[in-house]
Amino acid sequence: MAKVPRNFKLLEELEKGEKGIGDGTCSYGLSNGEDIFMSDWNGTIIGPPGTIHENRIYSLKLYCDDNYPNNPPIVHFISRINLPCVNQHSGKVESSRLSCLSQWKSSNSLEDILVDLRREMANAVNKKLPQPPEGSTF
Amino acid sequence: MEESTSVKSINVKFRPSNGDGFDYSFDPGQLTVRQLKEELVLHTTIPADNMRLVYSGRVLKDEDMVDLYGVKEGHTIHVVKRADNRASEQASNVTPTSTGQRNISSTTASSPFGMNPFGNFDPDLMRNMMNSPMIRHILSNPEIVRTMVMQNPTMRQMIERNPEIGHIINDPSFIRQTMDMARNPELMREMMRNNDRALANLETIPGGFNHLRRMYHTLQEPLESAGRNNDQSSEAANRRLAEMLNVERPPQGRINNTPLPNPWAPRNNTNSSTSSSSNTTNLFGGIPSFGLMGFPPAQMSFPSPSSNSRISNSTQGPNQSSTPNSQTNGISSATSPTNASGNAPNFPNVNLPQNSPTSIDPESIRRLQQVMQRHLTSSQFPSRQQMPQSYYPSLFGLPNPFFANMQQSLGTSQTSSQPSEPPEIRFRVQLQRLEEMGFMDQAANIRALLAAGGDVNVAIEWLLRNLNS
């Protein structure tokens, strides 16, 4: 399978994010539009309905290093959230505990991570977890 | 908005988390986020104070200019409702409401056009509520009513799919009239009578029947099918009707000698025992302007807890004879009903599946038993039971008379066969499976499961079909 160069892939993802192609529950884009290396990204996850996260918006930071998409990005929650896969001190998403990161494939995208996290929130085990007040940050 | 004054105006897609997106043009250099929100209020049901905009992974701050975020032509901004307001948003169908004052009012407020609302309500209570100054105020404001209608996903879908219905809710005088009628039973009865008479007269005019038929085809039918949200084909509709009538698939490879179900059979009996309630049911007979929006009753409401407890009490009742054990071939279809009718004098001549034991599935047996039980209980407790959801089901969602009659006479409200738990609890396991499979929209999942009667596979099919359409 042909390897897609990092920047092509990220550009494609950027366009997808800005145009809102996808299921509309996650949004993402560059933190700094001038960043030609496209390393730092913002993401938001709209809390899944029927869970404690409903109507909340969670902000995240994603960092794509030079080896993206061979290496998965590093993902941090900015908004405070109580989830087993999120380090409660730093907000970092533990890659070992999120299937999308632990089994990362170069065809995966930033959106896949956000969607996977959202699925994690809606997971029957997690959806009723008590959450810190909205607006608090790590 | 005005392209002439601002050259730099761009067209941006807005995508609410629930409902369909819309396009809106504005000049990002001229507007703060707050101002943009205020302009968007016209396009969504979310008030500016509760609206949050998300673009490119960031929540837009009220005081910033929009162009700070680099929004460009053709991009998408997500619209999310803030959490504070959730009670009014979802009280109507998802959460089983508790007893709080606030909850009651929000249920009433948000669902007069909804699927569920007043199945468990006493009509008097309902009338009192409708007359309370607050509700009266709310309902007297067509704009609020319109917003409420649009908040109901089913209604919205229906209106989007059938723009010609849209004018109904956009016409304040129509809404006001409807509300007046709903409030005043006398007025309502009068309207119904007039309408019935008009239709009856119409029928006697030469060609009148054809006209009626045309009316049915052009108005009633499309509206009904619009009310069901997954009406893909007439076959599906037929199947649903068959289910409603409890018609079994004819036995294969054998002559179908089963009698047709008779939906009108027990009417006389129930009428005599409960004249008042059947009266009220008839109120709604044959008025197209009401029947217009009629959902089939099965979709309309949750069962009342009282009737359910009764049903469960009588599960071990005298209906054991309905199990398919004695008959071995399809000839003596009449015997088991008569067995049962010793206990259930009103039981209709519905075709019972005993006559073809080979082709019965347990599901239909169960349903049949419920039908019988319901019938039993309804003859024992006529006044409450005979007040089906059709009385004040929902101001727009009045069932059409045919369904109402049929439901009453068959005694088979599908709704009553559902356990009293709310769907998200009842379908907990299935929901979890759906979520594991990646169907993340719980509301849609619940709807799908309800439509599929809890069968995950059917629900998935439903979901996929709705995703594609």
Side-chain angles (χ1 to χ4, degrees):
Chain A
M1 189 177 133
K3 253 201 204 162
V4 185
R6 174 183 188 276
N7 290 5
F8 280 17
K9 180 163 163 66
L10 284 175
L11 266 179
E12 207 173 278
E13 293 196 34
L14 179 62
E15 189 187 339
K16 236 183 131 191
E18 284 174 338
K19 297 229 168 114
I21 304 165
D23 68 353
T25 58
C26 303
S27 166
Y28 49 96
L30 284 178
S31 326
N32 172 7
E34 329 281 71
D35 176 13
I36 55 164
F37 298 108
M38 297 183 283
S39 301
D40 287 301
W41 291 68
N42 287 327
T44 50
I45 300 175
I46 297 165
T51 71
I52 190 160
H53 308 283
E54 179 164 10
N55 290 321
R56 286 186 175 215
I57 299 179
Y58 291 95
S59 303
L60 300 93
K61 261 188 180 323
L62 301 99
Y63 175 78
C64 301
D65 66 14
D66 292 344
N67 286 322
Y68 183 87
N70 296 326
N71 292 358
I74 297 164
V75 187
H76 278 271
F77 266 89
I78 301 174
S79 314
R80 206 164 253 290
I81 186 171
N82 178 15
L83 266 190
C85 61
V86 177
N87 183 316
Q88 287 306 304
H89 299 292
S90 61
K92 183 173 191 289
V93 177
E94 308 285 2
S95 24
S96 56
R97 304 192 62 170
L98 188 72
S99 62
C100 173
L101 291 178
S102 60
Q103 296 156 29
W104 179 259
K105 289 194 287 280
S106 59
S107 57
N108 286 18
S109 64
L110 298 173
E111 188 187 3
D112 292 333
I113 300 175
L114 298 175
V115 169
D116 202 26
L117 279 168
R118 189 169 186 269
R119 194 173 301 141
E120 197 65 17
M121 295 179 193
N123 180 331
V125 187
N126 297 334
K127 69 177 185 188
K128 296 267 148 66
L129 284 181
Q131 295 299 328
E134 191 176 17
S136 51
T137 54
F138 279 110
Chain B
M1 287 297 264
E2 291 111 42
E3 250 76 24
S4 53
T5 55
S6 64
V7 192
K8 290 181 293 179
S9 176
I10 58 167
N11 191 26
V12 172
K13 293 186 173 61
F14 286 87
R15 198 164 166 182
S17 51
N18 52 349
D20 288 330
F22 54 91
D23 287 17
Y24 186 71
S25 302
F26 61 94
D27 181 352
Q30 297 293 314
L31 283 181
T32 66
V33 172
R34 175 71 198 182
Q35 286 164 329
L36 175 60
K37 285 179 183 174
E38 273 156 12
E39 291 189 10
L40 291 179
V41 165
L42 300 172
H43 295 262
T44 114
T45 53
I46 308 173
D49 288 328
N50 285 332
M51 192 191 297
R52 286 176 300 179
L53 301 177
V54 176
Y55 168 71
S56 218
R58 276 185 287 184
V59 183
L60 275 53
K61 294 203 188 79
D62 271 359
E63 60 276 12
D64 289 338
M65 298 303 285
V66 180
D67 62 355
L68 186 88
Y69 296 94
V71 183
K72 303 220 169 52
E73 173 78 27
H75 286 181
T76 296
I77 295 180
H78 296 272
V79 186
V80 186
K81 190 171 181 174
R82 193 184 296 281
D84 334 348
N85 228 9
R86 48 191 301 180
S88 67
E89 184 188 70
Q90 48 156 223
S92 61
N93 40 16
V94 184
T95 44
T97 23
S98 62
T99 51
Q101 181 68 44
R102 185 181 135 95
N103 266 340
I104 286 184
S105 64
S106 68
T107 319
T108 338
S110 63
S111 55
F113 306 90
M115 318 264 297
N116 151 25
F118 302 118
N120 339 353
F121 277 46
D122 200 48
D124 280 336
L125 180 61
M126 169 72 191
R127 197 172 312 142
N128 289 341
M129 217 151 58
M130 291 294 286
N131 280 330
S132 86
M134 186 184 72
I135 303 294
R136 203 180 261 236
H137 173 75
I138 292 178
L139 295 184
S140 67
N141 183 340
E143 195 48 43
I144 300 182
V145 174
R146 204 185 77 88
T147 319
M148 289 185 318
V149 179
M150 294 309 279
Q151 275 197 343
N152 179 315
T154 317
M155 285 300 291
R156 198 171 44 219
Q157 238 179 12
M158 186 156 124
I159 285 163
E160 273 156 11
R161 228 175 289 164
N162 304 272
E164 65 275 12
I165 311 177
H167 83 269
I168 292 177
I169 65 154
N170 284 323
D171 177 2
S173 64
F174 178 85
I175 291 182
R176 202 167 303 134
Q177 222 178 351
T178 315
M179 291 304 161
D180 281 345
M181 278 201 292
R183 199 154 42 222
N184 185 342
E186 266 69 36
L187 184 59
M188 175 103 82
R189 201 167 313 163
E190 197 54 38
M191 286 287 292
M192 301 290 174
R193 211 180 16 231
N194 283 344
N195 211 288
D196 270 347
R197 181 144 318 142
L199 285 177
N201 288 343
L202 193 61
E203 216 169 0
T204 59
I205 302 171
F209 180 74
N210 282 339
H211 186 71
L212 280 177
R213 202 175 55 185
R214 205 162 44 239
M215 259 167 69
Y216 180 80
H217 280 303
T218 53
L219 280 173
Q220 186 94 351
E221 230 172 31
L223 278 161
E224 267 167 28
S225 57
R228 304 184 216 106
N229 33 18
N230 59 343
D231 207 34
Q232 293 285 343
S233 64
S234 62
E235 205 187 355
N238 285 342
R239 214 176 314 122
R240 205 171 298 114
L241 182 63
E243 201 172 32
M244 202 180 294
L245 287 164
N246 267 347
V247 181
E248 297 299 320
R249 193 174 283 278
Q252 296 251 320
R254 212 183 316 154
I255 297 168
N256 181 10
N257 61 352
T258 55
L260 285 172
N262 179 358
W264 290 276
R267 244 194 107 69
N268 299 334
N269 302 331
T270 50
N271 262 357
S272 59
S273 62
T274 65
S275 56
S276 66
S277 60
S278 57
N279 233 341
T280 49
T281 326
N282 284 340
L283 282 184
F284 298 91
I287 177 164
S289 61
F290 271 75
L292 270 186
M293 297 294 220
F295 297 106
Q299 290 200 358
M300 213 139 49
S301 61
F302 290 115
S304 84
S306 57
S307 67
N308 272 305
S309 59
R310 264 182 227 126
I311 285 175
S312 57
N313 284 346
S314 59
T315 349
Q316 301 310 321
N319 308 307
Q320 302 302 338
S321 57
S322 63
T323 42
N325 45 13
S326 51
Q327 314 302 333
T328 45
N329 63 31
I331 298 164
S332 49
S333 63
T335 53
S336 14
T338 43
N339 286 347
S341 65
N343 297 319
N346 295 341
F347 197 76
N349 292 333
V350 184
N351 165 33
L352 296 177
Q354 281 94 318
N355 55 357
S356 53
T358 46
S359 66
I360 316 170
D361 61 330
E363 172 63 21
S364 59
I365 307 261
R366 197 180 51 76
R367 184 164 307 144
L368 185 75
Q369 267 178 329
Q370 271 160 348
V371 170
M372 297 176 83
Q373 279 149 13
R374 172 149 173 93
H375 215 80
L376 280 176
T377 48
S378 67
S379 52
Q380 283 157 8
F381 305 94
S383 57
R384 290 292 290 274
Q385 289 284 329
Q386 293 296 321
M387 186 64 71
Q389 312 71 358
S390 37
Y391 186 60
Y392 282 118
S394 59
L395 301 174
F396 270 34
L398 300 168
N400 88 35
F402 175 67
F403 280 129
N405 289 348
M406 200 164 61
Q407 186 190 18
Q408 188 186 25
S409 44
L410 266 178
T412 144
S413 121
Q414 294 195 334
T415 56
S416 74
S417 65
Q418 291 168 356
S420 58
E421 301 159 327
E424 65 264 39
I425 296 183
R426 192 147 39 92
F427 296 135
R428 202 175 35 223
V429 183
Q430 290 97 318
L431 277 174
Q432 204 177 328
R433 273 186 64 193
L434 284 176
E435 274 175 15
E436 280 161 9
M437 293 178 200
F439 295 96
M440 301 311 292
D441 184 346
Q442 201 189 18
N445 290 351
I446 289 178
R447 221 171 308 134
L449 283 167
L450 282 172
D455 186 317
V456 176
N457 293 328
V458 180
I460 289 174
E461 220 169 278
W462 190 95
L463 280 167
L464 291 176
R465 208 165 49 208
N466 275 32
L467 281 179
N468 293 336
S469 63

